[in-house]
Amino acid sequence: SQDYLKTQDGLSIKINHQLLQLYFYGPDVVRVLKSPDSTLNIQESLSVIAKPSLIDFTVVEKDGLLELLTSSLKINIDLENG
């Protein structure tokens, strides 16, 4: 089963007890974090120093995919296996 929640700066998706978190840093930059269980322990990154941005994006669910659209990106996430 899968559940998703659109957040201020991205999307949080639970797929088969896994957690997938997407953070937008711009209309053409997204950071993807995945955890094998339903919790995500985000530690400070030495390579990512920017903060997530408020980006206008839409979410469409169709044909077993979750499609995220920004002005520059189209991201498809398989809802069966992430």
Side-chain angles (χ1 to χ4, degrees):
S1 76
Q2 69 279 340
D3 295 305
Y4 68 90
L5 174 67
K6 189 173 177 180
T7 63
Q8 265 191 328
D9 52 11
L11 194 74
S12 178
I13 310 164
K14 289 183 183 178
I15 302 173
N16 298 326
H17 306 291
Q18 296 182 30
L19 182 61
L20 187 66
Q21 187 77 40
L22 286 83
Y23 296 100
F24 287 100
Y25 287 80
D28 57 350
V29 179
V30 64
R31 181 180 185 193
V32 179
L33 301 173
K34 188 173 184 179
S35 173
D37 55 33
S38 60
T39 60
L40 192 59
N41 185 10
I42 302 174
Q43 298 177 349
E44 186 176 347
S45 172
L46 297 177
S47 59
V48 179
I49 58 173
K51 300 292 182 205
S53 300
L54 300 177
I55 300 300
D56 187 30
F57 68 98
T58 58
V59 180
V60 178
E61 187 175 344
K62 65 178 182 179
D63 301 327
L65 295 175
L66 200 61
E67 185 177 86
L68 284 70
L69 300 166
T70 72
S71 60
S72 302
L73 290 177
K74 178 179 176 181
I75 302 167
N76 288 315
I77 300 168
D78 187 318
L79 290 173
E80 188 174 322
N81 59 29

